[in-house]
Structures are given as C-alpha cells and as structure tokens.
Amino acid sequence: MLLALSGSAVCRSASDESRGVFFRGINLNGPAVVIDGRPWDGDDPRAVETRDRTFEARDVPLDPPTDVDRARMIRSSRWGGRVNLRFPGIPNGSYRVFLYVWEDNDSETFTIRLDGREVLRDFASGSAGTWKRLGPWPVEVESGAIELTTEGGAANLSGVEIWRTAGDSAGPTPIKPDPPDPAAVRFFDDKVAPVLARNCLECHGGSIRKGGLNLATEVSARAGGDGGPPIEPAKPEESPLWEMVESGEMPKKGRPPLSEADKLVIRRWIADGARWGTAEIDPFTATTDRRAGYDWWSLQPVRHPDLPAVKAGSWPRNEVDRFVLAKLESKGLAPAPEADRRTLIRRLSFDLIGLPPDPDEVEKFVNDADDAAYARLVDRLLDSPRYGERWARHWLDVVRFGESQGYERNRIRENAWRYRDWVIDAFNRDMPYDEFARLQIAGDVLAPKDLDALIATGYHVIGTWDQVAHNEGSASMRAATRWDELEDLVGTFGQAFLGLSIQCARCHDHKFDPITQREFYQVAALFGGINQEEKERDRIDLGPGGDRAKFSGVAHVPYFRE
C-alpha cells in the first residue's frame, strides 16, 4: 500500500528494503523484541537517548491489525508536543530511517525532522488506533549518531528502524540462518533450550541483555554482544560461550555452575554446528531456582503415583495413610496414638459442621462398640445442612463474597444471599467439582433456562464494585476502574480455579510463575463481556419454556455483551 503524503511515502514495499541492509530496530518504550525475524533493541540509553514522556495503552484496537510483537511495540511510545530522540553508536555512512507512529485518541498534526532536516510536514495521525510506518528517509551519518525530532501536536512515536544503504560497509553483516534439520531442531528444543532458559536468559535474554548479548534467538545470539559473537559453529574450543561455561565463569550472580550433563549438551550442540530450533526460546521453558517454568510440579498432568513402601504395614487404613506414614518414617517419626472416642467425635463435629456435638450424641458414640459407628457418624454429619454452611464459608472467602459492594457507598446487595445459598446447597448436594466450577464461570451459557445456573454466575459480581467511579466518574476514571474490575475478575479466577496469581502479569511477565503479560490480557479478554448492572428488576425472564424468577429490590447481576 502506497500513501503519498507531503512528498514522502507512508508505507513502502519490501523492494525498498531489499536495496538496503537492516542495521538496528529500537522499541522506544519497552523491552527488546523480535519483529519480522529481526532483533530490536529495547528502551536502553545505549540505543536511544531521550527524556520524553512515556505512554502505553493496551486496550486500543490497532488499525490495521498486526502481529503480536509489532502490536506490543506500537502500543507503547514516547510522546509530546516536541519529541527529541538521539540514536548513538551508529558508524558513519549512508542510512535510511523508518518511523512507527500511532494514535491512541484524537488526531494530532505534527512535523518530523531528521538531523534538523524536515522530512514530513503537518502529518495527521488519524483516528484512534491508527498506526503507520513512515519513511524511508535518507540520512548521512557523520558524527556517529542520528537525531529525530517532532514539533506541533502531541506525537506518539513507537519505534525506529535504521537500514544501511546497499553497498555501505558500516554495521553488522546480515545473518542467514542455516536450513532447518529435524533432528537438530529436536535436540535444540528438547535439550539445549531448557539449559539456556534455566541458566542464561535471566541475564542474556528479552529486555535484560548484559554485555549486549541476547541468547533468546538465533539472530541475536549469532550477532553477539559487546565482546563479539559468542559461538563459532562446529568449533566449541573457539567459542567464548563454551569457554565461559566450561570454566564455571558463567552463569554468574553467585549461582552454581552448569552440571556436567548440561555442559556436555552445550558442547555437543556447538560441535554439531549450533543448529537452532524454536524461533525464540521461551524463558518459562524450564524451572530455575528463582521462578517456576512449564515443568513445575503443580503444572503437570495429574497422575496416579506408585504407593510408597512402609514399615508399619498394619497402620494404614487407606492409600492416603500410606503416603502420610512413609513421610513420617522418612523422618524417623511414628504416628500419634489414636484419639479416644470422646475426642474423636468433637474433632469430627467441629471439622465437618463447625459446631460442638450434643452431649447425648457424645455419650451415644462413646458407648457404641460397633466398628461401623465412626462411619455412621461421618455420614450423619455430611448429611447435616450445617455441613454446607460450614464449608461454603471457605469457598465464599476464596471468591471474595460480600453482601455489600464496598468503597465509600458500601451499599447492601439485597440479593447477594441467592448466590451464597446456591454455594451452600451445592455442598450439601455433593455437587461434582467440575460442575460446580463450570456453572459459576459460564452457567448462563451452559444452561440458559436454568435459574440455578444463572444464580451461580453471581460469582462474577460478588466482589467489590466502585459505584461512584462507574456512575459518576469521568471517562478516564471509568476506564481505569473498568481495568481494575477486569483485574479482579482475572485474579479471582486464577486464584480460585488454578491456584495461580495471574493478575501479577497485568503490568509485566510474572516474576515467579510461567505467565506472560500477553496471557493476562488473553484471560482478561475472556471476561471482557462481563459487566455489572445495578437496576430494579421484578422478574428475570429465562426465555420460552424457562422459569420466571422473582428478584425484588436492587440487584447486582452479571450480564454479557456481545
């Protein structure tokens, strides 16, 4: 697509790039990324010098849509009525510059200058979400740097590409990856990538690249860092990476050296030509001593383990007892003596229904010599309606249930008891857990004519709700509150059903669990159609053939927008 604008092309074809060599890409407000297979520098003083303000908006749909990595770069920017960027460390020579710009709100008009020379006058940024790749603009570098400035309306500048003009010898030589070999790819992905992920990427991958070295991709790894390329394919003894690993100098930061097995993996890989596999190593490929990876024990499929051997074989009454006894015996401990019947009925009663047993019930159990008396006692307590009341309290705490909405108004929710009673009844009916979970998450979709299923989705709206911000706040306050509300939905879902704090990845990749920021917004998108509504309702119509339910007073109910 060619758009002529003030004598400059807004977008150029790939043939323009074929007459030059990619030299450097800079993400002006964010981490290092890989775009079109090329490594881009992040917001690093060695790549860009600027004091301009930063801006980021992840919820604005891009026009036109683009791939994930490019979108991540575009949506974060440097902005202002006068932006000043300086790109140091560029050898003298002839270059072309491309500039990514985007608009998050209303159209702005500004002028762009390159090394003081006007390259685009009165550029109009367009409607919200519009992004463009402007250029290329030729520039002759004579002082080891390129300066780019804007003037006029508020400009959102996301990224810069610098290409070396064909025939100019400045800059690195383009890297042509070796053709893939299936066996080499499997060896890299199964053996090499986990070693690099566990031991190297914390310092040499993603946004952190000590010594300028990024080992996360083939292109960046072979390009090397401040000390040059770290790998000489087929020559481990001449590869700085192997020298550092073999001597134990790497990894640093007080961490233990690689095991002999891991060292052999690295040496064999380099000796076989250092063939690559995956395009970019996922840092969560393997667990380290600092964070969990995809191989963390709690993220593995459930399996039936072998029963452990025990010495006191007559003590266990079931399979769980064998695991308990095996752990005790491994510590040189023996089980505690069995509780007497008076103690046992009190423990069981408090545990299952949260209340002390009736004195007559205690005496009856103490004097019952039947071996089946304990089993009958358990069944009786499980059949008690008090059982659901006792154990529903735990679940209601997990899903942040409240009968008032919180914040400064803290209004009472007159119908919150319906969800509370549904949870109690689910426990008393011994509802299977998978059904219990599905109905709360999407009961209205799974059973649209079932009143119980609709009430179960009250799970989504029994947390705090900021009435003032939603109903009386400014547009920016409502937007901020909406994202806080989505974070609450994501966080509750992750903690209640997955045992993971997904919400930590709202602002950055999770620091301890294998959850990326991208995955946070994928989960948030699942809940993006859920909204709270506060309104008077006399009845809820469940559709043709469905029941009609009486809801008196003001109710907070979830509803789903298409």
Side-chain angles (χ1 to χ4, degrees), residues 488-516:
D488 174 66
L489 289 170
V490 173
T492 303
F493 167 76
Q495 293 168 33
F497 296 105
L498 304 176
L500 294 170
S501 52
I502 299 176
Q503 73 276 14
C504 295
R506 176 180 176 180
C507 302
H508 50 71
D509 289 351
H510 204 294
K511 293 184 181 297
F512 305 108
D513 292 324
I515 303 169
T516 64

Side-chain angles (χ1 to χ4, degrees), residues 215-508:
L215 293 174
T217 71
E218 180 178 16
V219 173
S220 60
R222 294 198 178 187
D226 299 343
I231 302 167
E232 285 291 333
K235 300 177 181 178
E237 304 303 335
E238 299 178 20
S239 298
L241 175 62
W242 169 246
E243 293 175 8
M244 302 284 275
V245 167
E246 183 185 32
S247 65
E249 189 173 348
M250 298 292 288
K252 293 186 177 180
K253 297 182 68 173
R255 301 180 63 181
L258 269 64
S259 67
E260 291 303 316
D262 285 347
K263 287 182 179 181
L264 289 176
V265 165
I266 296 297
R267 194 182 195 289
R268 174 185 165 187
W269 171 58
I270 297 175
D272 289 345
R275 298 295 185 93
W276 214 265
T278 184
E280 181 173 6
I281 300 175
D282 189 334
F284 296 134
T285 297
T287 295
T288 74
D289 58 351
R290 286 170 167 77
R291 54 166 173 73
Y294 301 130
D295 57 348
W296 185 246
W297 67 268
S298 66
L299 303 179
Q300 303 312 302
V302 176
R303 63 181 181 85
H304 290 283
D306 296 332
L307 294 178
V310 294
K311 298 175 182 177
S314 62
W315 184 84
R317 298 183 181 180
N318 53 49
E319 294 179 342
V320 174
D321 283 353
R322 293 183 67 90
F323 287 93
V324 173
L325 181 59
K327 180 62 70 172
L328 288 172
E329 291 180 345
S330 71
K331 303 296 182 181
L333 302 174
E338 187 170 321
D340 62 77
R341 289 204 159 199
R342 191 176 301 276
T343 300
L344 196 58
I345 187 174
R346 286 180 58 81
R347 287 178 180 173
L348 191 63
S349 185
F350 276 117
D351 184 48
L352 294 183
I353 66 173
L355 298 170
D358 183 85
D360 292 339
E361 295 173 347
V362 174
E363 294 306 320
K364 181 178 179 181
F365 179 67
V366 168
N367 295 314
D368 190 344
D370 190 342
D371 290 339
Y374 181 75
R376 288 197 300 269
L377 174 61
V378 171
D379 288 340
R380 179 173 65 80
L381 292 174
L382 290 176
D383 290 339
S384 168
R386 306 289 86 78
Y387 167 76
E389 294 168 2
R390 158 73 167 162
W391 283 92
R393 289 181 60 235
H394 298 298
W395 182 255
L396 294 173
D397 285 344
V398 167
V399 297
R400 82 305 190 212
F401 171 80
E403 297 202 13
S404 63
Q405 66 191 26
Y407 292 94
E408 59 265 46
R409 298 291 170 81
N410 198 30
R411 291 179 59 180
I412 297 297
R413 292 167 171 159
E414 298 183 11
N415 285 283
W417 61 269
R418 295 181 183 274
Y419 172 76
R420 178 201 66 201
D421 285 7
W422 180 88
V423 175
I424 293 172
D425 185 57
F427 275 91
N428 281 331
R429 286 190 288 139
D430 197 21
M431 179 181 290
Y433 178 74
D434 58 347
E435 181 183 357
F436 181 70
R438 290 192 188 100
L439 289 179
Q440 291 177 83
I441 296 170
D444 64 318
V445 176
L446 297 173
K449 298 181 181 180
D450 186 337
L451 176 59
D452 275 352
L454 176 63
I455 293 174
T457 62
Y459 146 81
H460 293 294
V461 292
I462 40 75
T464 55
W465 192 69
D466 191 345
Q467 176 183 335
V468 173
H470 276 291
N471 296 344
E472 303 171 30
S474 64
S476 59
M477 182 183 293
R478 290 197 300 272
T481 301
R482 174 57 175 164
W483 273 110
D484 289 344
E485 185 178 36
L486 283 172
E487 180 184 332
D488 174 66
L489 289 170
V490 173
T492 303
F493 167 76
Q495 293 168 33
F497 296 105
L498 304 176
L500 294 170
S501 52
I502 299 176
Q503 73 276 14
C504 295
R506 176 180 176 180
C507 302
H508 50 71

Side-chain angles (χ1 to χ4, degrees), residues 12-83:
R12 295 287 182 121
S13 67
S15 61
D16 290 307
E17 300 172 7
S18 67
R19 292 196 292 269
V21 177
F22 180 79
F23 175 77
R24 180 176 296 166
I26 304 103
N27 184 9
L28 296 176
N29 177 32
V33 291
V34 176
I35 296 177
D36 295 333
R38 304 183 184 101
W40 280 44
D41 293 316
D43 178 13
D44 187 310
R46 293 172 297 181
V48 57
E49 298 173 356
T50 179
R51 293 185 178 180
D52 294 299
R53 289 171 287 181
T54 60
F55 177 77
E56 184 173 2
R58 295 293 176 189
D59 56 340
V60 179
L62 294 184
D63 182 20
T66 186
D67 59 272
V68 173
D69 290 327
R70 196 188 319 270
R72 180 169 58 175
M73 178 271 293
I74 291 170
R75 287 195 176 101
S76 59
S77 54
R78 295 283 180 169
W79 74 281
R82 183 174 180 82
V83 178

Side-chain angles (χ1 to χ4, degrees), residues 102-326:
W102 83 298
E103 182 53 64
D104 67 287
N105 200 336
D106 299 324
S107 183
E108 299 279 353
T109 301
F110 50 89
T111 295
I112 303 171
R113 291 185 175 85
L114 202 60
D115 280 355
R117 175 175 58 89
E118 183 178 294
V119 292
L120 192 56
R121 175 180 293 182
D122 296 334
F123 169 73
S125 61
S127 58
T130 301
W131 67 273
K132 292 185 173 72
R133 179 174 179 254
L134 305 177
W137 300 307
V139 61
E140 293 292 327
V141 176
E142 298 177 351
S143 59
I146 295 176
E147 293 187 2
L148 189 150
T149 60
T150 69
E151 190 175 73
N156 273 350
L157 309 185
S158 302
V160 168
E161 288 181 36
I162 303 173
W163 289 70
R164 194 176 76 238
T165 301
D168 196 300
S169 60
T173 302
I175 297 167
K176 295 181 179 180
D178 295 326
D181 171 51
V185 167
R186 285 195 301 272
F187 180 74
F188 181 86
D189 290 345
D190 295 344
K191 302 294 184 179
V192 181
V195 174
L196 296 178
R198 280 194 302 267
N199 301 282
C200 305
L201 295 191
E202 187 173 330
C203 297
H204 303 290
S207 60
I208 301 176
R209 294 185 292 174
K210 294 189 175 179
L213 178 60
N214 179 8
L215 293 174
T217 71
E218 180 178 16
V219 173
S220 60
R222 294 198 178 187
D226 299 343
I231 302 167
E232 285 291 333
K235 300 177 181 178
E237 304 303 335
E238 299 178 20
S239 298
L241 175 62
W242 169 246
E243 293 175 8
M244 302 284 275
V245 167
E246 183 185 32
S247 65
E249 189 173 348
M250 298 292 288
K252 293 186 177 180
K253 297 182 68 173
R255 301 180 63 181
L258 269 64
S259 67
E260 291 303 316
D262 285 347
K263 287 182 179 181
L264 289 176
V265 165
I266 296 297
R267 194 182 195 289
R268 174 185 165 187
W269 171 58
I270 297 175
D272 289 345
R275 298 295 185 93
W276 214 265
T278 184
E280 181 173 6
I281 300 175
D282 189 334
F284 296 134
T285 297
T287 295
T288 74
D289 58 351
R290 286 170 167 77
R291 54 166 173 73
Y294 301 130
D295 57 348
W296 185 246
W297 67 268
S298 66
L299 303 179
Q300 303 312 302
V302 176
R303 63 181 181 85
H304 290 283
D306 296 332
L307 294 178
V310 294
K311 298 175 182 177
S314 62
W315 184 84
R317 298 183 181 180
N318 53 49
E319 294 179 342
V320 174
D321 283 353
R322 293 183 67 90
F323 287 93
V324 173
L325 181 59

